Amino acid sequence: MSSTRHSSPHLNGMTSSTDTTTQEQVLLERAQAGDEQAFGRLIQPRRGELHAHCYRMLGSVHDAEDALQDAMLRAWRGLSHFEGRSSLRSWLYTIATNTCLDQIAKRPKRVLPIDYGPATDHHVGPGEPLTESVWIEPYPDEILGIEDGLAAPAASYERREGVELAFIAALQHLPAAQRAVLILREVLGFSAKEVAASLDTTVAGVNSALQRARAAVQERVPEQSQQATLRTLGDDSVRALVDRYIDAWERNDVEAFAAMLTEDATFAMPPLATWYQGRAAIAAWSSGWPLSGAWRWRPLRATANGQPALGFYAWNDEYGAYLPFALNVLTLRGTQVSDVTAFIARSAAPREREVFERYPDEPVDEAKVDDVFRRFGLPPRLD
């Protein structure tokens, strides 16, 4: 993944407590004296970036929320021992990172379907879903306020590059310590010395882990990041491309949809392990299932993981409305779509395979609608 450096008015100091403002120092002293409200005010401006950090580490919004809550509790309990030898921000990232490492040790890694098993034959319809804890989850970067540009001058990846789906998926394949080192060094711009202190290791160990992590991630991410691709295309071209995608699906136009795909495109649908690869295979599958004419679609624009996304709604006769079905996150390569990851908002309870071949007919899962639609600012139905 290539990254273009951009100056940012929001760059944060990384190494000294002198970066803390007078107001923050007052809040810190009050918090250390036991004032919970002061602690809340001290932490609030950093919650968004810490949440994003936990998501990068864990690949799940839910896990990130749990980790952040645990980390803030640890920070509150340990605040009286904070002596200012590092910046408060560095200290908080140390706590958040180690909280995430504890979580990683207790659960399987998160993946996307394309990393879970081989592509499905296009003659075969979607199969049964797998347990939810297996899958990477989409990230509402705009809703949570992730800023553009670099987190620090020494960072190599932009903030939004650091939540792109391919990057998050690549991170989950790294050993936990390498994952932490890469994120702290390359996304957040901490020094090797700071990272070594955070992870209780040596600078040499950090540099060695970073070298291995860089090589592993570069093998799994596109040559050009989505942020660079979007800038190259420009807002008008991206809008036109997404308009064509919407139009093809609303008209159930397989040919128009397929024409937008790269030759080696993929289409995945977590929680289903089923996924399809190649323009011809995706076209053949879509003509037999989602674009067969059996369903009417209404997509709404959104963004997820720093990428164009669409909330797809399927018409339901019983309700007389379009109901949430899936959040489609689009990955672009030039002017074409190289990957579609459709996060489905319907029940994944065990049933016969044939049920999932007609997934849009299944009842809406209200919890998933909250996670996959409301979390991204999308309505619960369209009339």
Side-chain angles (χ1 to χ4, degrees), residues 111-120 124-136 267-276 285 289-290 297 325-326 340-360 362 368:
V111 296
L112 292 173
I114 60 174
D115 295 318
Y116 188 83
T120 307
V124 178
E128 297 89 345
L130 297 177
T131 175
E132 292 299 300
S133 62
V134 169
W135 305 119
I136 288 172
F267 198 111
M269 299 161 285
L272 303 178
T274 307
W275 64 284
Y276 301 91
W285 159 73
W289 280 276
W297 301 104
F325 180 67
V340 180
T341 307
F343 296 93
I344 296 176
R346 297 293 170 92
S347 173
R351 281 159 291 173
E352 297 297 322
R353 180 189 181 100
E354 290 74 16
V355 168
F356 299 103
E357 293 189 2
R358 299 190 61 82
Y359 219 171
E362 288 302 291
K368 285 189 177 182

Side-chain angles (χ1 to χ4, degrees), residues 41-107:
R41 290 174 60 192
L42 189 67
I43 296 302
Q44 188 56 38
R46 297 175 170 88
R47 289 189 69 89
E49 61 175 298
L50 288 166
H51 189 280
H53 176 58
C54 293
Y55 173 73
R56 294 180 185 108
M57 288 288 294
L58 301 169
S60 160
V61 177
H62 290 94
D63 290 350
E65 289 170 349
D66 290 343
L68 181 58
Q69 183 175 357
D70 188 8
M72 293 304 96
L73 181 59
R74 294 185 189 188
W76 168 245
R77 289 173 174 171
L79 191 62
S80 61
H81 303 295
F82 175 67
E83 299 176 350
R85 286 194 293 265
S86 67
S87 69
L88 178 65
R89 183 170 178 267
S90 178
W91 183 72
L92 290 171
Y93 269 106
T94 296
I95 295 172
T97 300
N98 283 287
T99 302
C100 290
L101 290 173
D102 290 343
Q103 278 206 20
I104 291 168
K106 298 175 183 176
R107 61 157 182 78

Side-chain angles (χ1 to χ4, degrees), residues 61-62 65 138 140 324 345-346 364-380:
V61 177
H62 290 94
E65 289 170 349
R346 297 293 170 92
V364 167
D365 185 318
E366 292 299 335
K368 285 189 177 182
V369 170
D370 284 339
D371 289 342
V372 183
F373 278 73
R374 288 191 180 94
R375 192 187 292 274
F376 289 83
L378 294 164

Side-chain angles (χ1 to χ4, degrees), residues 294-313:
W295 299 284
R296 291 160 54 192
W297 301 104
R298 179 73 60 80
L300 283 188
R301 293 174 176 276
T303 61
N305 295 82
Q307 301 175 216
L310 292 163
F312 267 77
Y313 296 75

Side-chain angles (χ1 to χ4, degrees), residues 316-331:
N316 184 288
D317 285 330
E318 180 181 351
Y319 285 84
Y322 288 90
L323 302 183
F325 180 67
L327 179 75
N328 285 23
V329 182
L330 309 182
T331 299

Side-chain angles (χ1 to χ4, degrees), residues 178-316:
Q178 288 185 27
R179 193 184 312 175
V181 166
L182 182 72
I183 296 169
L184 291 169
R185 292 281 286 121
E186 302 282 66
V187 179
L188 298 169
F190 286 102
S191 70
K193 183 178 179 180
E194 287 174 304
V195 175
S198 294
L199 301 179
D200 194 22
T201 186
T202 64
V203 169
V206 167
N207 290 336
S208 177
L210 179 59
Q211 185 176 11
R212 294 195 298 274
R214 277 175 178 164
V217 166
Q218 288 301 322
E219 289 180 357
R220 290 183 172 272
V221 297
E223 283 189 25
Q224 187 176 62
S225 73
Q226 286 302 285
Q227 306 317 300
T229 298
L230 295 173
R231 283 193 294 269
T232 299
L233 289 172
D235 291 344
D236 291 343
S237 293
V238 172
R239 189 177 301 107
L241 188 155
V242 174
D243 282 345
R244 287 168 50 212
Y245 193 96
I246 291 172
D247 180 64
W249 277 78
E250 287 185 335
R251 294 187 295 106
N252 281 291
D253 189 332
V254 175
E255 186 175 346
F257 166 56
M260 299 187 65
L261 304 176
T262 61
E263 187 68 31
D264 60 347
T266 66
F267 198 111
M269 299 161 285
L272 303 178
T274 307
W275 64 284
Y276 301 91
Q277 183 167 35
R279 180 191 297 143
I282 294 171
W285 159 73
S286 65
S287 67
W289 280 276
L291 295 181
S292 64
W295 299 284
R296 291 160 54 192
W297 301 104
R298 179 73 60 80
L300 283 188
R301 293 174 176 276
T303 61
N305 295 82
Q307 301 175 216
L310 292 163
F312 267 77
Y313 296 75
W315 176 258
N316 184 288

